[in-house]
Amino acid sequence: MKEYKSDKNCLNILRLTIIIVTLLIMILCAYFLSFIPKLMILLNILFFAAGFFLVVIYLPVYFKNLRYYVIDNDKIVKESGFFFKKKQIISIDRIQYTTSVSTPFNKFTGLNFLVLYAYGGLMTIMFLNKNDFEELSFRFRK
C-alpha cells in the first residue's frame, strides 16, 4: 500500500490567492459603497471573516485530511473532508479512462489533477506534487 498526500506548496498558493482576492473585494466594496458606511463596514467584516476562515481554518484541515492510497495495484482510495470524512474507493481495473491536468510551473505550485473515470462515477485526485502526479498518471494510463 502506497500513500500519497497533497503538496504543501499548493496550500500556500491557495492561501495567498484567497488573501489577495479577499483584499481586492474589500477594497472594491469600500470604494463603491463609501456612501453607505454601515453597509460597507458590515460587508467588509463579512468578507474578512470568510477569508480568514478559509485561510486559517478550512484549508489546513482539508489538506491535512486529503490522502490517497493505492492498495496492491488493485484499488485506489481517496480520503477527504473537513467536518465529515469521506472515503471513495475505485477498483483500478474498472477505470475506463483518465484525464491529466497540470498547470505551468507544476513543480513549484502543486496544482496537478488526475481525473479517473470509472463505471458509474469519477474520482478526482487533486494537489499532488510533480513526482506523485507523474507516477500516478503513468500507472493509470490506459
Side-chain angles (χ1 to χ4, degrees):
M1 175 171 78
K2 183 156 182 188
E3 179 180 2
Y4 300 94
K5 292 185 179 182
S6 56
D7 191 13
K8 299 303 177 193
N9 291 334
C10 185
L11 173 63
N12 294 330
I13 288 174
L14 288 175
R15 282 178 165 173
L16 182 65
T17 304
I18 290 172
I19 288 171
I20 291 171
V21 168
T22 302
L23 288 176
L24 183 65
I25 290 173
M26 289 173 65
I27 290 169
L28 289 173
C29 180
Y31 179 75
F32 287 112
L33 293 177
S34 61
F35 62 93
I36 310 173
K38 289 183 181 178
L39 180 63
M40 176 193 68
I41 292 170
L42 178 67
L43 286 175
N44 277 338
I45 289 171
L46 288 175
F47 291 138
F48 177 78
F52 183 81
F53 174 75
L54 284 173
V55 168
V56 175
I57 298 169
Y58 181 77
L59 282 178
V61 172
Y62 184 79
F63 269 71
K64 185 182 128 207
N65 292 332
L66 187 62
R67 290 191 178 100
Y68 307 100
Y69 302 99
V70 176
I71 302 171
D72 300 330
N73 290 328
D74 183 39
K75 293 181 183 175
I76 183 161
V77 178
K78 174 184 176 183
E79 292 181 353
S80 64
F82 179 71
F83 287 120
F84 304 105
K85 304 283 173 109
K86 179 181 171 184
K87 185 182 270 190
Q88 190 176 11
I89 302 170
I90 290 183
S91 180
I92 291 177
D93 59 344
R94 298 292 181 200
I95 296 174
Q96 290 178 312
Y97 60 95
T98 62
T99 301
S100 302
V101 179
S102 64
T103 58
F105 307 110
N106 62 355
K107 181 178 181 181
F108 305 112
T109 61
L111 291 171
N112 300 310
F113 305 94
L114 188 65
V115 183
L116 307 175
Y117 296 93
Y119 301 112
L122 62 95
M123 177 188 289
T124 305
I125 300 174
M126 306 178 287
F127 311 129
L128 294 171
N129 65 26
K130 184 179 180 186
N131 296 332
D132 292 343
F133 173 72
E134 289 174 352
E135 179 182 335
L136 284 176
S137 67
F138 181 74
R139 179 180 287 191
F140 300 130
R141 187 171 295 151
K142 293 222 174 195

